[in-house]
Amino acid sequence: MRVFGIDPGSARTGYGCVQSDGNKHRLVACGAIVSTSSLTFPEKLKAIHAELALLLASHHPDCVAIENLFHAVNARSALKLGHARGVAMLAAVEAGVPIVEYTPAEVKQAVVGYGRAEKSQVQSMIQLLLGLDAPPSPYDASDALAIAICHLHRTTGHGAAMPIASKPAARATSWRAFRLPR
């Protein structure tokens, strides 16, 4: 399965594409769409949409996972984020790709095992899960990869902190009988 994760933002929108066979995840692409300050807000939204449309067309994901809105103290920031999410969702719909949404806490819980993890912890776990030489940068890219991996973990029924067993222990009577693959 190939999942394209999006961490929306009006100044910087992170994206990350992950391929998985259900056991091992592999990085396909990641980065951030950065809007220049000289653009008007509608022009920034147009640029985000255009770039995401190109990325979705070139990577052919099976699904798009996007960060859901959460409580924001600043209403103006929340509205701008909502607009960025809207154009990201529009790009996915136009590409004919199903969309799923996850809250930041759900993503952190699925990837790090703690719903209030710091960005650096998420970034380090993404590096580990994808076997990368260096942590993905910027944080927007690692967050987008985390969103994609969150969906993979939710659909395959396992969490990031728990390795996948190759086969269940046959009629185990205690936890000591359970063995993980080496």
Side-chain angles (χ1 to χ4, degrees):
M1 174 178 235
R2 183 173 282 204
V3 180
F4 192 92
I6 301 174
D7 180 31
S10 59
R12 197 166 45 216
T13 294
Y15 65 88
C17 190
V18 177
Q19 179 77 35
S20 180
D21 63 5
N23 288 318
K24 184 168 173 61
H25 307 317
R26 181 180 62 82
L27 173 68
V28 176
C30 72
I33 302 165
V34 181
S35 301
T36 61
S37 59
S38 64
L39 296 176
T40 66
F41 185 65
E43 290 170 333
K44 288 179 182 184
L45 294 176
K46 181 180 178 185
I48 292 167
H49 176 269
E51 186 66 27
L52 285 174
L54 287 173
L55 289 164
L56 291 170
S58 66
H59 295 297
H60 307 288
D62 299 308
C63 179
V64 167
I66 188 167
E67 190 172 77
N68 199 350
L69 283 177
F70 58 98
H71 174 74
V73 176
N74 185 328
R76 185 179 203 124
S77 296
L79 285 170
K80 285 186 174 186
L81 177 61
H83 289 305
R85 284 184 76 250
V87 297
M89 293 176 90
L90 176 62
V93 168
E94 288 176 341
V97 183
I99 302 166
V100 293
E101 299 175 82
Y102 296 101
T103 65
E106 287 174 312
V107 172
K108 291 172 183 178
Q109 181 67 40
V111 174
V112 179
Y114 177 59
R116 293 185 178 190
E118 299 293 325
K119 286 191 175 285
S120 60
Q121 292 173 305
V122 172
Q123 192 179 42
S124 295
M125 186 57 89
I126 295 302
Q127 179 184 2
L128 180 70
L129 289 171
L130 295 176
L132 304 175
D133 293 333
S137 185
Y139 283 130
D140 306 278
S142 60
D143 288 351
L145 289 168
I147 295 163
I149 291 172
C150 172
H151 181 66
L152 289 167
H153 289 173
R154 293 288 177 106
T155 56
T156 57
H158 62 83
M162 184 184 306
I164 305 168
S166 58
K167 59 183 178 181
R171 297 185 189 171
T173 56
S174 81
W175 64 269
R176 289 179 182 90
F178 183 77
R179 299 283 187 255
L180 292 174
R182 294 187 191 259

